[in-house]
Amino acid sequence: MSLTGIKKSPLVALPFLKKRLRRITALGFRNLTVNEFNFTIYFTLHRNDKTVAFYTSESVENQRSPEWSYLEFPINVQCLQDFVIRVWIKTLNNCRLFLEYDVYLDDSLMPDEQKDDSYINNNSLWLEIFGYRFTDNPSKLKHQKSIQQMTISEKKSKRNLLVKSYNKSSILRMMNVIDAIRAQSRLSIQCLENLQQSVNENEDYFSKIKERETRQLHIENLREYLQCQITIYERQLNINQRRQKLINEKKNRLNQNLLQLVVQQKELNLRINNLNQSKYLLHDLIQLIIFRQKNLISNIYHHIYPITSDNNNEYSIGNIKLPPAEDKSYQPLTREREYEIGAGVGYCAHIVLIISYIIQLPLRFPIEYYGTSLIKIYDNNLQSSDFPLYPSYDINSFQYGLFLLNRNIGQIMHHCRVGGRHTDYRKTLENLKELMEQYFINSNNNPIQLYTLNQQSIETTTSNNNSNERISLSNRRTITVNSVTSSFTENNDLNSTEDDNHHNGLDLFPTSSTLSPRLTMQYSYQPQQQ
């Protein structure tokens, strides 16, 4: 069935190959006579004029010669040879049918290479099959139209030659047929009336049969529903059983992990107790080491380098007076006064060097001391880093070296938390005396507080399997602390101190190799002052 304003054009495939719908790889139109400016065009494929579309193409916008490739048709229609193509134009306001083609994949197609390209018809369809493009063959179309017109004219002429005539026998035959038809109709009406009468008579019986069948059907439905519910219940029961089994396995695994954690917790508590004992032992040893350090420096201060002051507030070390830095008495100097000041500065440098070595504090400005008068101090930030600690012809270098020595004394005071913000670091002997008396002498008189552990409390907090090990560890700690304290209390005099230093490898006159300028800072434990 054709619509008004719609062009129909049959197309035929090649004669030497089987042409099917699946062989079409591309499809397009040429010179569409569309009057709109903004439009969207797409096509649909139908089996015939009265069926719905089995394929809808993608939409193309504003193209008067559109093309579609990579066509994928449904499997159930890929063997079609004839079908209908409908082209649709969609605008903002409406959507209308523009073209309709009846496609027959037979001999009415010809390749584009054999067709004259001088004139291309408007609204023409082309198909790509076997790698070639095919369009309408105008000559065959005209031939087919002429053949159709000739057949129609011949049929009309034959109809005009026919003359209808009826004789007596034919009329009697028709009358007999009509009477038979009427009798059959009356018989059918009578049978229908009989059936209706029997139905009316047996209406109660039929209603009971209907009710019984309805009840049976309902029972069957209920049985099926019950069977379905039983199946669902069994399935859910199996799922719940598997889930409960997994839960029980996880519970057992968690219980095993809990037991392992309890055992590990007991082991951890035992290790914590051992660590606490080691910590207390280490604290006691540190206290004893600090006490021993202070005792050594106190003996050196009292017996080797005592620092005293007179009524004029003049300080001396080893009975040698040493004025503060930047004092006017340093210029000029006599030979005897020069030797005296050099000896006093050497004493100060030596005791500073011994203190830094004992408390293991690297000096900011290293001192080179060989037990002679040629004592030097180094400032590695300057190009000429060595400065003498004895009066010489260059009094400025000596004063700068004395300044560096005072800086070292201030470093030790800051490390020992002696002095304050208003401390004058130019007073060499006064700062040394304050350092000795406040940190190494007064704090040395305080008794040592050692941690004592209760064996019974330790034994109750740990397990019975490791009780022998804990008792042996506490006994070793007690023996060690007692031995250290007894050794420290028995050797308080200077001679025993020198012997201990000799055995421990302490050098009272270290060389430059032992204290390098870039010595790494070491951690030193200092208790809080009370």
Side-chain angles (χ1 to χ4, degrees):
M1 179 178 181
S2 62
L3 301 177
T4 58
I6 297 175
K7 176 184 177 182
K8 286 193 175 184
S9 176
L11 296 177
V12 189
L14 292 174
F16 52 87
L17 290 174
K18 291 291 183 180
K19 306 303 178 295
R20 298 287 186 269
L21 181 62
R22 65 173 178 269
R23 302 296 184 184
I24 300 175
T25 57
L27 183 148
F29 301 93
R30 292 174 179 169
N31 300 332
L32 296 178
T33 57
V34 183
N35 296 327
E36 289 84 353
F37 291 100
N38 295 324
F39 63 92
T40 303
I41 185 170
Y42 66 95
F43 70 89
T44 58
L45 300 181
H46 307 260
R47 290 180 180 270
N48 50 44
D49 294 340
K50 297 180 180 180
T51 58
V52 296
F54 62 83
Y55 180 78
T56 303
S57 67
E58 297 179 353
S59 300
V60 179
E61 295 182 357
N62 301 327
Q63 293 290 333
R64 286 178 170 79
S65 295
E67 297 180 3
W68 288 272
S69 59
Y70 303 104
L71 301 175
E72 295 182 359
F73 302 107
I75 298 176
N76 56 351
V77 296
Q78 288 186 356
C79 294
L80 289 179
Q81 282 188 318
D82 54 339
F83 51 89
V84 177
I85 297 179
R86 291 178 179 175
V87 183
W88 302 85
I89 301 295
K90 184 179 180 181
T91 59
L92 295 176
N93 298 327
N94 58 359
C95 179
R96 62 187 178 88
L97 179 64
F98 181 69
L99 293 174
E100 184 177 9
Y101 288 90
D102 293 332
V103 181
Y104 304 98
L105 298 178
D106 49 15
D107 298 336
S108 64
L109 286 178
M110 66 178 298
D112 286 351
E113 290 80 3
Q114 300 177 7
K115 191 174 182 180
D116 186 10
D117 294 336
S118 62
Y119 177 76
I120 299 175
N121 294 328
N122 294 333
N123 302 325
S124 61
L125 171 68
W126 60 266
L127 300 173
E128 183 176 337
I129 305 175
F130 304 111
Y132 297 94
R133 287 190 179 185
F134 298 91
T135 56
D136 293 340
N137 193 344
S139 61
K140 287 198 173 185
L141 291 175
K142 292 179 180 178
H143 180 66
Q144 289 178 359
K145 289 181 180 179
S146 63
I147 291 173
Q148 290 177 359
Q149 291 177 0
M150 288 175 65
T151 56
I152 292 170
S153 61
E154 289 178 357
K155 288 180 179 179
K156 287 183 179 181
S157 62
K158 288 181 180 180
R159 288 177 182 175
N160 292 328
L161 294 175
L162 294 176
V163 178
K164 295 181 179 181
S165 61
Y166 297 97
N167 53 14
K168 184 177 179 179
S169 61
S170 61
I171 291 172
L172 291 174
R173 189 168 55 251
M174 286 189 296
M175 291 178 65
N176 292 329
V177 170
I178 290 171
D179 292 338
I181 291 172
R182 288 177 180 175
Q184 191 70 26
S185 64
R186 286 194 297 269
L187 183 61
S188 63
I189 290 171
Q190 186 178 0
C191 291
L192 180 63
E193 290 177 354
N194 293 331
L195 288 175
Q196 186 66 34
Q197 185 178 0
S198 64
V199 168
N200 293 331
E201 291 177 355
N202 300 322
E203 185 176 1
D204 295 336
Y205 176 71
F206 289 147
S207 62
K208 291 180 181 179
I209 292 175
K210 181 179 179 180
E211 184 179 358
R212 185 184 64 183
E213 291 179 352
T214 304
R215 191 181 297 109
Q216 289 178 355
L217 182 61
H218 184 65
I219 291 171
E220 291 294 330
N221 291 331
L222 289 177
R223 287 177 180 176
E224 291 180 356
Y225 179 74
L226 179 62
Q227 188 67 29
C228 181
Q229 291 295 324
I230 290 172
T231 306
I232 294 173
Y233 173 74
E234 290 177 353
R235 188 182 305 167
Q236 191 68 29
L237 183 63
N238 294 330
I239 293 172
N240 291 332
Q241 287 178 357
R242 289 196 297 269
R243 189 178 298 171
Q244 187 67 29
K245 184 177 179 181
L246 292 175
I247 291 172
N248 293 330
E249 291 178 355
K250 290 182 179 179
K251 183 178 179 180
N252 296 330
R253 197 180 303 115
L254 289 174
N255 290 329
Q256 294 177 1
N257 294 333
L258 180 61
L259 294 176
Q260 293 178 0
L261 288 175
V262 170
V263 174
Q264 292 178 359
Q265 185 179 7
K266 292 180 180 179
E267 294 178 355
L268 183 61
N269 291 330
L270 178 62
R271 292 183 181 180
I272 289 173
N273 292 328
N274 294 333
L275 287 176
N276 290 331
Q277 293 176 6
S278 301
K279 182 177 70 174
Y280 297 147
L281 179 61
L282 179 62
H283 183 271
D284 295 342
L285 292 176
I286 289 173
Q287 292 288 332
L288 294 173
I289 289 171
I290 294 173
F291 176 78
R292 184 60 175 166
Q293 289 176 352
K294 292 181 179 180
N295 192 11
L296 285 173
I297 296 174
S298 177
N299 291 332
I300 293 171
Y301 172 71
H302 285 101
H303 300 285
I304 300 176
Y305 297 119
I307 300 174
T308 59
S309 61
D310 54 7
N311 296 328
N312 295 326
N313 202 12
E314 292 181 357
Y315 291 86
S316 60
I317 180 170
N319 296 325
I320 297 176
K321 292 184 179 181
L322 183 65
E326 299 180 2
D327 194 270
K328 294 181 179 180
S329 61
Y330 288 105
Q331 294 178 359
L333 291 174
T334 60
R335 182 62 59 87
E336 296 178 356
R337 185 58 179 164
E338 183 177 341
Y339 290 155
E340 185 179 358
I341 291 176
V345 174
Y347 292 164
C348 293
H350 191 206
I351 193 172
V352 168
L353 193 61
I354 291 173
I355 292 172
S356 67
Y357 187 80
I358 291 176
I359 66 176
Q360 297 180 0
L361 176 67
L363 295 175
R364 176 65 181 84
F365 304 102
I367 299 174
E368 183 178 334
Y369 189 88
Y370 294 101
T372 61
S373 61
L374 300 177
I375 306 172
K376 293 182 180 180
I377 191 169
Y378 291 88
D379 187 1
N380 296 308
N381 296 324
L382 301 178
Q383 185 174 2
S384 57
S385 58
D386 55 337
F387 297 95
L389 288 178
Y390 53 89
S392 61
Y393 60 90
D394 190 358
I395 193 65
N396 293 326
S397 298
F398 169 70
Q399 289 184 348
Y400 190 75
L402 189 58
F403 166 73
L404 296 179
L405 179 62
N406 291 330
R407 291 286 299 275
N408 286 337
I409 296 172
Q411 177 190 355
I412 297 173
M413 293 176 68
H414 178 72
H415 177 75
C416 298
R417 295 183 179 88
V418 177
R421 186 179 299 176
H422 303 289
T423 303
D424 188 2
Y425 292 104
R426 294 176 298 178
K427 300 177 181 181
T428 307
L429 294 180
E430 184 177 355
N431 293 333
L432 273 176
K433 184 177 178 62
E434 184 180 1
L435 174 64
M436 294 293 183
E437 291 179 354
Q438 290 189 11
Y439 184 76
F440 293 103
I441 297 176
N442 293 334
S443 61
N444 193 19
N445 295 328
N446 296 328
I448 300 176
Q449 297 179 358
L450 300 179
Y451 286 98
T452 57
L453 296 177
N454 189 1
Q455 266 184 344
Q456 295 180 356
S457 62
I458 297 173
E459 291 175 358
T460 55
T461 55
T462 57
S463 62
N464 295 325
N465 293 329
N466 298 322
S467 59
N468 295 327
E469 183 180 356
R470 291 195 305 275
I471 295 171
S472 61
L473 180 60
S474 60
N475 291 331
R476 285 201 304 270
R477 177 186 173 278
T478 307
I479 294 169
T480 306
V481 173
N482 292 330
S483 61
V484 173
T485 51
S486 62
S487 62
F488 283 164
T489 53
E490 289 175 358
N491 299 322
N492 288 327
D493 55 347
L494 182 59
N495 294 326
S496 62
T497 303
E498 292 177 353
D499 293 337
D500 290 338
N501 291 332
H502 178 71
H503 291 298
N504 293 329
L506 179 62
D507 190 3
L508 296 178
F509 301 95
T511 60
S512 60
S513 61
T514 58
L515 292 177
S516 60
R518 295 294 181 183
L519 186 63
T520 307
M521 294 294 292
Q522 299 178 2
Y523 176 77
S524 61
Y525 176 84
Q526 294 296 335
Q528 297 290 336
Q529 290 185 359
Q530 297 179 355

